[in-house]
């Protein structure tokens, strides 16, 4: 496994290869969710590159950039065992040189849901993702459905900026209790993880209600709030039932496929999760 610490090392590695190259962008603190993305790349691509870069641009001033879990040695051991071909671990100073002045902005989808609470988040994400696409020149890229809005916006980035690559959406990996795996779960002890698992349980309750014929979004929103409000440690940032393509809120009743998503605070840590309801 090549550990490319500079852009030049990564570019040189890439340009010697005339095969199907998969890229899995990560911010490190690898877990089984990342491993699922990597395994899919290993399965369908000839070469797999995993990037590890804690991207400062996608963190707001009051967010957890400084405390975000980092363990490069552990991550490298995991990647080595998986037998990937190259890990790209650039320095912040090389990715964002002191005169960096161009960021990419999405003007519609990124203003909704997560974008409402985290105004610069998606610009930060698509700026780094574009840079990684340009440096690694992958034929295939792999992102998790856990970050559903990110996935939708990255697909739009690929379409609008004519990146010639295939984007693979990989299902969310969950703990046995249903909690979606996330690097931020490392902030929690076991009892907090058990509390956090109520987020997915509440999403499943909404799914069961729709299965049972309840299509009224106001009723569904009340059911979700009640379910979360029963657990004093959890605070809802938002709960949304939105059109899967436009991410616009459904106003009255569900009549086509929706993204049901939420952001919840547990002891100051913001957790997101979602389910897609296909109609
Ligand atoms: O999903 C993530 O871990 C990050 O947002 C990504 C896509 C690696 C960009 O920094």
């Amino acid at each position: 496994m090549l550990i490319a610490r500079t852009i030049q090392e990564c570019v040189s590695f890439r340009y010697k290869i005339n095969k199907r190259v998969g890229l899995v962008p990560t911010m490190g603190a690898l877990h089984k969710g990342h491993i699922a993305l990597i395994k899919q790349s290993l399965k369908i691509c000839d070469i797999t590159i995993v990037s590890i870069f804690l991207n400062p641009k996608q963190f707001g001033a009051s967010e957890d950039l400084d405390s975000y879990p980092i363990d490069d040695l552990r991550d490298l051991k995991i990647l080595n065992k998986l037998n990937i071909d190259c890990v790209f671990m650039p320095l912040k100073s090389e990715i964002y040189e002191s005169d960096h002045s161009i960021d990419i902005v999405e003007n519609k989808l990124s203003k909704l849901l997560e974008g409402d609470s985290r105004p610069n988040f998606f610009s930060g994400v698509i700026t780094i993702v574009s840079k990684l696409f340009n440096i690694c020149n992958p034929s295939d890229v792999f992102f998790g459905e856990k970050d559903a809005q990110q996935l939708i916006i990255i697909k739009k980035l690929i379409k609008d900026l004519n990146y010639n690559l295939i984007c693979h959406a990989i299902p969310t990996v969950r703990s046995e209790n249903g909690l979606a795996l996330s690097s931020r779960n490392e902030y929690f002890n076991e009892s907090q993880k058990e509390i956090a698992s109520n987020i997915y349980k509440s999403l499943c309750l909404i799914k069961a209600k729709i299965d049972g014929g309840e299509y009224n979004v106001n009723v569904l929103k009340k059911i979700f709030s009640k379910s979360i409000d029963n657990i004093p440690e959890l605070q809802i940032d938002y709960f949304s039932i939105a059109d899967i393509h436009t991410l616009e809120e459904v106003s009255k009743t569900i009549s086509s496929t929706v993204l049901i998503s939420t952001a919840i605070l547990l002891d100051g840590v913001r957790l997101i999760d979602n389910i897609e309801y296909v109609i």
Side-chain angles (χ1 to χ4, degrees):
M1 178 177 81
L2 171 71
I3 303 175
R5 301 245 180 215
T6 65
I7 293 174
Q8 190 48 52
E9 276 176 282
C10 192
V11 169
S12 316
F13 170 80
R14 172 63 185 97
Y15 280 93
K16 283 184 210 125
I17 295 157
N18 192 12
K19 288 179 179 171
R20 198 164 172 184
V21 173
L23 170 67
V24 183
T26 81
M27 297 203 298
L30 302 180
H31 52 68
K32 286 183 183 153
H34 296 115
I35 293 173
L37 308 182
I38 295 166
K39 284 198 169 153
Q40 189 59 15
S41 174
L42 288 166
K43 191 170 159 193
I44 63 178
C45 296
D46 303 301
I47 297 289
T48 293
I49 303 176
V50 175
S51 63
I52 297 182
F53 181 68
L54 184 56
N55 177 33
K57 259 193 195 297
Q58 68 189 74
F59 288 79
S62 59
E63 293 180 15
D64 57 345
L65 175 63
D66 294 335
S67 57
Y68 197 85
I70 303 174
D71 194 342
D72 288 351
L73 273 183
R74 183 182 156 275
D75 288 348
L76 286 172
K77 265 190 204 153
I78 293 173
L79 295 175
N80 207 20
K81 239 181 168 177
L82 285 167
N83 224 359
I84 67 150
D85 301 276
C86 172
V87 51
F88 178 44
M89 300 175 80
L91 285 177
K92 191 179 110 193
S93 54
E94 202 190 7
I95 290 292
Y96 299 118
E97 291 185 54
S98 54
D99 63 348
H100 177 97
S101 61
I102 296 184
D103 289 345
I104 301 181
V105 176
E106 193 284 332
N107 291 307
K108 229 172 172 173
L109 301 162
S110 66
K111 308 295 171 208
L112 306 166
L113 305 175
E114 282 297 286
D116 195 30
S117 305
R118 308 180 74 192
N120 301 317
F121 172 68
F122 287 113
S123 173
V125 169
I126 60 179
T127 299
I128 187 62
V129 163
S130 305
K131 284 167 83 71
L132 292 168
F133 289 174
N134 295 335
I135 295 164
C136 302
N137 190 20
S139 54
D140 299 75
V141 290
F142 300 82
F143 293 93
E145 288 178 352
K146 150 113 186 346
D147 300 303
Q149 188 179 9
Q150 168 174 283
L151 177 63
I152 290 168
I153 292 172
I154 288 172
K155 283 184 178 164
K156 195 74 190 346
L157 168 80
I158 292 169
K159 178 175 174 284
D160 284 4
L161 295 195
N162 307 96
Y163 280 108
N164 184 21
L165 45 80
I166 304 167
C167 181
H168 302 266
I170 308 298
T172 304
V173 179
R174 299 182 180 279
S175 317
E176 257 175 47
N177 63 13
L179 174 64
L181 296 194
S182 157
S183 302
R184 288 191 167 98
N185 294 352
E186 286 197 24
Y187 295 133
F188 297 137
N189 58 33
E190 287 312 309
S191 95
Q192 286 172 309
K193 285 183 192 165
E194 209 44 53
I195 293 168
S197 72
N198 286 293
I199 300 171
Y200 183 59
K201 289 190 182 105
S202 301
L203 288 171
C204 289
L205 171 67
I206 296 305
K207 180 181 178 299
K209 292 287 173 192
I210 305 173
D211 285 343
E214 181 57 81
Y215 291 95
N216 184 308
V217 290
N218 286 332
V219 174
L220 294 167
K221 283 181 180 180
K222 277 187 192 136
I223 295 170
F224 187 83
S225 294
K226 202 168 159 212
S227 169
I228 295 293
D229 289 347
N230 272 334
I231 302 136
E233 292 87 348
L234 299 180
Q235 282 138 33
I236 301 177
D237 179 5
Y238 67 80
F239 173 68
S240 155
I241 302 180
D243 178 90
I244 193 73
H245 302 293
T246 63
L247 298 182
E248 300 283 355
E249 288 300 310
V250 174
S251 58
K252 286 192 178 112
T253 52
I254 299 173
S255 58
S256 58
T257 299
V258 285
L259 177 70
I260 303 175
S261 64
T262 187
I264 306 257
L265 287 158
L266 167 55
D267 295 333
V269 179
R270 199 162 171 286
L271 295 169
I272 58 169
D273 202 352
N274 70 83
I275 53 173
E276 189 176 311
Y277 196 96
V278 180
I279 292 192

